[in-house]
Amino acid sequence: MTIYDLLIIGGGPAGLAAAIYGGRGKLKTAVIEKGMPGGQAATTNELENYPGFGKGFTGPDIMQKWLAQAQAFDAEILYDDVLEYRLKGDIKEVKGMTGTVYQAKSIILANGSEPRILGIPGEKEFRGRGVSYCATCDAAFFKDLKVTVIGNGDTAIDEAQYLTKFAQEVTIIVRRPYKQLRANKRSVESAYANPKIKWVWESVPVEVKGDQVVTSLLVQNTATGEISEITCDGVFFFVGMLPRTELFVDQLDHNEQNYIITDEKMATNIDGVFAAGDLREKYLRQVITAANDGAIAAYAAEKYLAQKEENSVK
Ligand code: NAP
């Protein structure tokens, strides 16, 4: 069985950056990815704050380049969904959904995060039938239709803007008071200027309604308690993210929200196990900071392996 020097779980920005560094550092490197490489960045149309690219480049474009660069340095991409993690010991072992067991001397956990489910009635029932968590993936289904967007963070505002390229009208439901949005000012200003965007303030969604597909959203005004019905064909939820750490969080130091705690070398509390990207406890979750984490983690893994090698010949 192949024993990799470096096994990276997750092929998003953190994982691919780690693969570029690991491969270039001549480590036998593999990335295990369960879907399309590129992670959330590959489902983000607007990525205008990634230096050197800016307007005109999409997330998928940029991630394709990273993937090609990692492969050019001989990093392997393995398609599997890791379900079991054995992180302790000199040889780390993970088992995929395919039943394959993968072994490595060091591992970088770069599993990322996933959209938080709000859990209101109708949300689960109409998922894929009007309820969505990804505008880049699903916006085209709503051409000339009406959609609502829940949330007011960077994702909600950016994705609402993207939705206006297709939808006739996009109504953003904000639980905060009038014009006190969480998202960055630049995105907010351009959303205010967009005539296709409507706003519903101080309100939370309470139920998605429909028959075969979504037909409306019930929202409650948090100040008055009044419930109103907004006719729409789609509801996009952007109410934050959760780290994908549940399968190994009990083996590692983590915070209350299950984000993995590392030192500045991305090292976890287990020797040879590193964490990079959105699943890590950190200040700013962006493509650029994920890349930073991935590069540091791979470099630290290389040093860890070199030190082990040196100790073994002593
Ligand atoms: P986020 O910043 O955590 O925002 C989540 C939003 O959901 C908040 O506005 C929150 O409202 C709202 N929300 C939560 N529970 C709700 C509920 N029960 N009902 C209604 N609304 C609810 O998440 P995010 O926007 O996905 O961003 C995640 C991270 O990625 C952030 O660090 C963000 O800066 C980053 N990001 C950056 C960019 C960019 O730079 N262009 C783009 C995308 C994401 P409250 O504000 O009232 O809590």
Side-chain angles (χ1 to χ4, degrees):
M1 182 193 273
T2 305
I3 300 182
Y4 291 97
D5 294 322
L6 176 61
L7 189 60
I8 300 158
I9 316 297
L16 291 178
I20 292 168
Y21 275 70
R24 188 164 182 271
K26 296 281 176 213
L27 300 180
K28 184 159 182 52
T29 301
V31 178
I32 305 184
E33 167 57 49
K34 70 174 176 170
M36 183 176 64
Q40 282 175 70
T43 64
T44 306
N45 229 62
E46 314 279 333
L47 207 66
E48 61 181 32
N49 57 359
Y50 192 74
F53 290 88
K55 271 222 176 307
F57 288 92
T58 66
D61 289 341
I62 299 172
M63 288 302 106
Q64 271 306 316
K65 289 182 196 294
W66 293 28
L67 174 64
Q69 201 172 345
Q71 288 173 316
F73 286 124
D74 298 324
E76 285 176 53
I77 309 292
L78 309 167
Y79 290 92
D80 208 339
D81 188 1
V82 176
L83 299 179
E84 286 174 37
Y85 293 79
R86 203 180 56 75
L87 300 175
K88 286 215 170 100
D90 284 346
I91 301 296
K92 321 295 177 193
E93 211 168 79
V94 301
K95 189 174 176 185
M97 200 171 124
T98 57
T100 311
V101 172
Y102 306 88
Q103 292 188 327
K105 296 177 193 164
S106 69
I107 194 162
I108 297 176
L109 300 166
N111 310 51
S113 59
E114 60 196 4
R116 193 161 77 79
I117 307 290
L118 208 50
I120 59 171
E123 181 180 359
K124 194 172 161 199
E125 192 184 339
F126 290 107
R127 187 169 185 165
R129 294 191 291 138
V131 167
S132 173
Y133 300 85
C134 173
T136 306
C137 319
D138 298 331
F141 297 125
F142 296 91
K143 195 166 181 323
D144 300 328
L145 299 178
K146 290 184 178 181
V147 299
T148 49
V149 163
I150 319 299
N152 71 97
D154 285 325
T155 307
I157 303 305
D158 287 354
E159 300 291 278
Q161 282 278 33
Y162 180 68
L163 278 164
T164 61
K165 292 184 181 175
F166 299 86
Q168 179 199 113
E169 187 178 284
V170 177
T171 303
I172 306 182
I173 316 297
V174 182
R175 67 175 173 184
R176 295 180 174 217
Y178 180 68
K179 290 203 168 178
Q180 290 185 25
L181 300 182
R182 179 194 287 251
N184 72 81
K185 277 197 181 129
R186 193 185 163 87
S187 297
V188 165
E189 290 309 323
S190 98
Y192 286 153
N194 189 329
K196 280 190 168 182
I197 295 182
K198 308 266 174 289
W199 302 87
V200 174
W201 302 100
E202 282 190 271
S203 296
V204 289
V206 286
E207 185 178 350
V208 179
K209 297 186 78 169
D211 37 58
Q212 293 303 307
V213 294
V214 168
T215 53
S216 68
L217 176 73
L218 295 186
V219 297
Q220 180 165 38
N221 184 296
T222 52
T224 63
E226 190 188 327
I227 292 188
S228 52
E229 186 164 11
I230 301 172
T231 303
C232 61
D233 307 284
V235 184
F236 284 78
F237 289 88
F238 301 115
V239 293
M241 307 296 292
L242 294 175
R244 284 206 191 98
T245 53
E246 107 191 19
L247 296 177
F248 48 77
V249 74
D250 53 349
Q251 301 181 51
L252 297 171
D253 287 348
H254 57 275
N255 70 12
E256 273 179 13
Q257 291 86 38
N258 285 352
Y259 286 95
I260 304 303
I261 294 169
T262 70
D263 64 12
E264 66 163 338
K265 293 177 183 162
M266 308 299 143
T268 69
N269 55 302
I270 299 182
D271 279 351
V273 178
F274 302 83
D278 280 9
L279 84 182
R280 203 169 72 77
E281 182 180 68
K282 64 195 287 191
Y283 180 59
L284 179 63
R285 295 192 173 86
Q286 298 269 289
V287 173
I288 193 168
T289 64
N292 164 79
D293 289 4
I296 294 173
Y299 182 78
E302 190 187 333
K303 297 291 164 219
Y304 161 81
L305 293 171
Q307 187 66 56
K308 271 200 102 70
E309 184 79 31
E310 201 181 306
N311 292 348
S312 72
V313 293
K314 268 186 194 161

